[in-house]
Amino acid sequence: LGCVSNRLLKDFELDTGEFKFYRKCTRNGPLSSVATPASDRGMLVGVSLKTGHHRRVISGRHQASQHFGRDSVYLRDFSDDYQADMYGAFDFVLMELSTASIAKALDERKGFKPGGFATPLVREDPVLGHFAQILALTFEGPGKASPLFVEQLGAAITTYVVDQYAGPSSAPTSAKRRLSRAQEARAKEMLLAEADGNISIEEIASACNLSRSYFISAFRETTHCTPHQWLIQQRIARARELLVSSDASLAEIAVACGFSDQSHFSRMFSQIVGVPPGTWRRSQ
DNA sequence: AGATCGCCCCGCCATT
DNA sequence: TGAATGGCGGGGCGAT
């Protein structure tokens, strides 16, 4: 994000794949300036946990001074160049909203299309302030928060930001088959739990009160991935964690991730990651 | 919602 | 011995 890492007191990052969170905190400023060129990373939401920071944002010939108190929120669009001089210590929780997840949240706004965001902007927002505190606790809490929890939290924040800060909606779009948040969460939960007792797609669909065929297409519209494909990706993600965090054999990791044997695991891993698991592990 | 059908995942084997 | 690759049949997944 343009900060010099070794000058930060706290510098955490949490990447769920769909969402990216940061905690960035300085002891005693001044961190002279930051500059990031335009990119297609989507939007950045920053929430200040403390008061006493201000910065001068330079865009073209214009300069604007922004003061941050507790619960101050700023939004900026990564597709614009960003340059700012910073004064005073800061403590931020930040979240990156990918263009895809923004589009998804806008799409879910009862069939209304985007009106765009008013950026850059700074304002007080106690709701996002509380979300930021939850995230800060998630970063520093004793146990790791489950990926599903973090993902749902990201979804909630995205929805909130779009509701509050996206411009007026315009033309309605055609309604598609999609899962409600509750159905999506339930379905994902059941897919992950499938490790023990074999659950079929049929059963998950009926748990969501949907027919099998409708469920599959709605899941796809919602997550841009078929149920079984999604499960495989979750298993591979888990495998990546175990590959770096443990010294278990590939056969053991395969079983731990829901693959019945090593050969099949290696094949699926290669297909998705591009290199076989052993090679990938050595590269980490 | 329910029926049909092709394809790919799975689980097991062998080989290097 | 562990890891990577290939073959193969059954069955469930996913699209229509």
Side-chain angles (χ1 to χ4, degrees), chain A residues 89-150:
Chain A
F90 62 76
D91 189 354
F92 277 112
V93 169
L94 304 115
M95 175 173 167
E96 238 181 272
L97 309 180
S98 68
T99 45
S101 60
I102 292 171
K104 192 172 154 190
L106 283 166
D107 193 37
E108 280 180 350
R109 224 165 52 162
K110 298 293 175 197
F112 284 98
K113 281 198 163 177
F117 293 85
T119 57
L121 121 179
V122 177
R123 74 168 68 154
E124 299 289 304
D125 190 323
V127 174
L128 283 177
H130 281 79
F131 270 125
Q133 287 181 36
I134 295 172
L135 285 167
L137 289 171
T138 304
F139 274 123
E140 298 183 20
K144 274 188 182 172
S146 81
L148 193 57
F149 172 77
V150 177

Side-chain angles (χ1 to χ4, degrees), chain A residues 193-206:
Chain A
E194 193 216 24
D196 20 57
N198 273 345
I199 305 175
S200 68
I201 294 294
E202 179 89 55
E203 292 173 83
I204 298 175
S206 60

Side-chain angles (χ1 to χ4, degrees), chain A residues 197-257:
Chain A
N198 273 345
I199 305 175
S200 68
I201 294 294
E202 179 89 55
E203 292 173 83
I204 298 175
S206 60
C208 296
N209 287 319
L210 300 169
S211 71
R212 193 179 72 100
S213 61
Y214 188 98
F215 170 74
I216 290 175
S217 81
F219 191 97
R220 215 168 84 90
E221 287 296 333
T222 309
T223 66
H224 308 108
C225 192
T226 62
H228 198 244
Q229 281 296 320
W230 180 86
L231 177 59
I232 292 172
Q233 285 174 19
Q234 297 303 306
R235 287 172 170 172
I236 297 296
R238 172 86 183 125
R240 297 170 108 130
E241 288 175 22
L242 291 176
L243 283 169
V244 294
S245 69
S246 78
D247 58 352
S249 70
L250 297 198
E252 290 169 324
I253 291 176
V255 173
C257 298

